[in-house]
Every structure is written in structure tokens, then in C-alpha cells.
Amino acid sequence: MELMVLLNALVTRLLFVLHSLIGVWRVTAVKKEPKYWLLALLNLLLCLETGLTLKFKQGRGYKWFSPAIFLYLICTVPSLWLLEIHHGTQYCGNEPGAVQVNVSNQDFNQSRDSSHGSEGTDHHIIQTAKVFVNRLSTICETVWTLALHQTFLLLLVIGRWLLPIGVEITRDQLSQLLLMFVGTAADILEFASETLDIADVRKNYALINAILAVWTWSMLQFPLDLAVQHIGCKPTASARWIPSLLLCRYSAELWNIGVSLFIQDGPFFIVRSILMGHFRIFNQMLVFFTAKNILVVTLQLYRLAVITLDFRATILQKSRKGEVSCCPCEPYEASTHATADQDTEMKEFVAFPPKMESQAPSEDQ
């Protein structure tokens, strides 16, 4: 096993566990009940996955799916749910927050002076750590929750980057996936923060749960790598079914469209429409992002129509040439009964679409 692969696999999962434990600690501090430390037991699943991955995959990832990212979601999402539900019981003002920070700074300076005057370096470090933890505890709840949301999404992207990739995915595909995840994370963070910060939403417990459910549903796209990988198919008899041919040729594009329509922009649009239509909640940002979701959904449907028409045109052209038995998603593989001339013609068809040739002038003219 390569040293860098082992190091990346262990460091990334360690970051996941630490962030999850911080979320559990914050829930315990807010609820003031030690029983919430039981949420930390969810990290045992991530530890088990680490051992199995190191043993059977030598630390590398799987095709189309990342178990480490999925288990990280399981470990962290419950804590964020509890913090968001408890969010309404504490509101932060500017003046109280400033007083808390000033008091913490005074405590820090006093502890530093006392440690210098009487005790050694070890005691100074311990006192500094205690003051630092107390200072973190004085930060208001809304700031903590937003910070956990932000670091959660950042770690999903950074962790997917650091995790060793499998043999089925290339570096180019990984770079495309990470760029997509950055935009996706920004949209998800905006949806959660913009909708849950509305005062009328905070008064409705059922509405908070509905928004968090949609937020959780949108997070499920992070463990999947289908957005940059094509399924592919072989020219078998079962592959002649038209929907199967369409799926194997445009698998990555269809996955992106499906994610936008059913996991991200579609559900976000429905939630925002309900807020404006049923609950009569209006503000400038809510209207803007609703219009943005409508635009994205419309463009994705337009993209789906373009793909379908292009695929239909390809099928019709191949059927006129008697090449229906060949899978159009892998046009460079000729069937066993195809001749060399047919194979060359198919390659030229895919690389350069046929054009209308102008009629050459005759020698008499």
C-alpha cells in the first residue's frame, strides 16, 4: 500500500470524525444533557468503514459511490438537525456578544499573567486551553450553527479531494466533480441559511422540519460520482431497447439533469414557492432565488429535450444505413458481423456529422 494513499485515507477520515465530534459537543452544550454524547457512537461506522477500505481496497475509493462521505453525512446531519431545531431558543444581540468577548479576553490575560508569575509552562498551556474553550462556549448559538454548516460543506469538498480515488475514476473526472460540488455546496448553504433565518419560518415547527428534510435530501448527491462517469453498454440484444441506449450514451448528462430536477433545484423551488404562495412570506432574496430555480429547471428541461432529439436523429440515421444492431453509445466498437468499411464509416459519422455535399461542376461546364 502506498504511503500517500494510506496517509490521505486516514487524515481525511480523522477530519470527518473530529468535525462530527465538535457538532456532538455543541449539541450537548446547548441541550445541557449528557445523553446526546451517544451521537458520537455513529463515528464507529466510519471507523469500521476505514478498516474495511484499508483491508480490501488498499485505501482507495469505490466506483460511483464514496462510503466515507456517506457515513460522514450520517454522523454529522443529526447534530445539525438538533441545533437548527433548538436555534429559536437563543437569539444573539450585538452588544451582549461584544461583552462576552471582552470578558473572555480579560480572563485570558489574567490567566496568562497568573501562570507566568507562579507556575510552569505546562500549567500555562492548560489554563490557556481552558480559557479558549470557555471563550468558544460564549459564542452565540446562531454563529456556532452557521459555522458548523459552512465547515461541513467545505469538508465535504475538501474530503472528496483528499480521499484516494479508485481505478475507475480519472483525475480529470475528479476535478470536474469537485468544481460541481463547490457550486452545489454554495447553493445548499444559501438555501438552508436564507430560508431558516426567516422569522415566520422559525415560528412553525413543521416548516422547519420540512426545510431540513429537503436540505438532507439534497446532501445525498455528494457521495455519488455518477455526474462525471458514463455507464457504457455493449452491443447486445438487450441493448436495443431505446431507453437503455439513451441511458448508456448520456448517463452523466442525464444524472446531472436528474439531480437538478429531483434533488436540488426542483425541491428548492417547491419549498420557496410554498413559502411565498401559502405562507405569504416575501423578501427580495427569496424572490430572486426562486426565479433562479425556475430558470435552472427550465434550462435543464431544455437540455433534456436537446439530448432526446439528438439521440432520435442518431437512431434514425443509423437505421437508414442498417446499423441498428450496433449500440450508438459506443460507436467505435463494430459488431462481429460488420465489415471494415462499415466500421470506418461509423467512426467518420461520429467524429464528423454528415454534410450536404455540393454538386461538383461537370467538365463540360
Side-chain angles (χ1 to χ4, degrees):
M1 186 185 303
E2 299 179 4
L3 180 60
M4 287 302 300
V5 173
L6 175 62
L7 185 62
N8 288 339
L10 293 178
V11 168
T12 305
R13 289 168 173 84
L14 179 61
L15 290 175
F16 290 166
V17 171
L18 290 177
H19 186 266
S20 175
L21 291 178
I22 291 174
V24 175
W25 165 71
R26 191 56 197 168
V27 171
T28 306
V30 169
K31 295 288 188 179
K32 302 185 185 309
E33 294 184 18
K35 67 178 181 180
Y36 286 101
W37 278 111
L38 294 175
L39 292 173
L41 296 177
L42 293 174
N43 290 282
L44 295 177
L45 297 174
L46 193 56
C47 297
L48 178 62
E49 183 272 338
T50 303
L52 295 177
T53 302
L54 294 177
K55 181 178 181 180
F56 296 105
K57 297 288 290 184
Q58 288 73 47
R60 297 193 176 274
Y62 295 82
K63 184 178 182 180
W64 299 338
F65 183 73
S66 176
I69 298 292
F70 180 72
L71 293 176
Y72 177 46
L73 295 178
I74 293 178
C75 295
T76 310
V77 167
S79 300
L80 292 177
W81 264 73
L82 293 173
L83 289 175
E84 288 292 354
I85 292 175
H86 188 266
H87 186 283
T89 62
Q90 177 183 348
Y91 293 96
C92 300
N94 294 328
E95 296 181 359
V99 171
Q100 291 174 354
V101 173
N102 292 333
V103 171
S104 299
N105 285 331
Q106 293 175 1
D107 294 340
F108 179 80
N109 294 329
Q110 291 175 1
S111 65
R112 183 181 61 184
D113 296 337
S114 62
S115 62
H116 276 299
S118 59
E119 311 202 356
T121 306
D122 294 338
H123 181 72
H124 167 61
I125 295 176
I126 295 175
Q127 291 296 328
T128 303
K130 290 181 179 179
V131 173
F132 179 72
V133 172
N134 292 331
R135 182 177 179 181
L136 289 178
S137 300
T138 59
I139 299 176
C140 66
E141 181 185 341
T142 55
V143 175
W144 259 110
T145 304
L146 180 59
L148 287 174
H149 270 285
Q150 294 170 340
T151 52
F152 178 43
L153 292 169
L154 288 176
L155 270 180
L156 284 173
V157 179
I158 297 174
R160 189 63 188 89
W161 190 7
L162 295 178
L163 283 174
I165 61 176
V167 296
E168 295 86 1
I169 183 172
T170 63
R171 292 291 178 182
D172 178 65
Q173 292 174 335
L174 178 61
S175 62
Q176 297 178 31
L177 187 67
L178 293 174
L179 289 173
M180 294 175 56
F181 280 174
V182 170
T184 300
D187 289 341
I188 292 175
L189 178 62
E190 177 278 324
F191 169 76
S193 59
E194 179 259 332
T195 54
L196 292 175
D197 284 345
I198 300 175
D200 293 336
V201 172
R202 285 293 173 188
K203 299 176 183 178
N204 193 325
Y205 184 77
L207 192 56
I208 294 176
N209 287 330
I211 293 174
L212 290 175
V214 174
W215 170 77
T216 305
W217 172 249
S218 66
M219 300 295 294
L220 296 178
Q221 58 187 299
F222 285 99
L224 299 174
D225 300 339
L226 293 175
V228 294
Q229 298 191 52
H230 290 276
I231 296 176
C233 70
K234 295 182 179 180
T236 59
S238 60
R240 298 183 63 181
W241 190 43
I242 298 299
S244 177
L245 297 179
L246 179 63
L247 177 62
C248 72
R249 181 175 184 180
Y250 297 103
S251 58
E253 290 84 355
L254 292 177
W255 171 252
N256 289 328
I257 295 174
V259 166
S260 179
L261 294 179
F262 301 107
I263 298 182
Q264 187 168 329
D265 290 285
F268 290 178
F269 166 69
I270 294 175
V271 170
R272 288 171 172 138
S273 299
I274 293 175
L275 291 178
M276 292 190 299
H278 181 72
F279 293 95
R280 303 298 179 183
I281 300 174
F282 293 94
N283 60 57
Q284 185 177 2
M285 298 304 296
L286 184 62
V287 173
F288 170 77
F289 284 108
T290 303
K292 178 235 180 190
N293 292 141
I294 295 175
L295 181 61
V296 172
V297 170
T298 304
L299 291 177
Q300 292 291 1
L301 292 175
Y302 174 72
R303 174 61 179 164
L304 180 61
V306 171
I307 290 175
T308 305
L309 293 176
D310 177 72
F311 179 78
R312 181 174 178 273
T314 303
I315 290 295
L316 292 176
Q317 291 181 7
K318 287 180 176 293
S319 64
R320 295 192 187 100
K321 296 182 179 182
E323 299 173 357
V324 181
S325 59
C326 294
C327 179
C329 65
E330 293 183 357
Y332 293 100
E333 294 185 6
S335 62
T336 55
H337 300 287
T339 62
D341 294 336
Q342 290 176 335
D343 188 22
T344 303
E345 182 182 0
M346 186 178 298
K347 292 179 181 179
E348 293 177 352
F349 169 78
V350 176
F352 303 96
K355 298 180 179 180
M356 297 299 296
E357 297 182 356
S358 58
Q359 189 174 8
S362 60
E363 295 180 358
D364 297 337
Q365 296 177 345

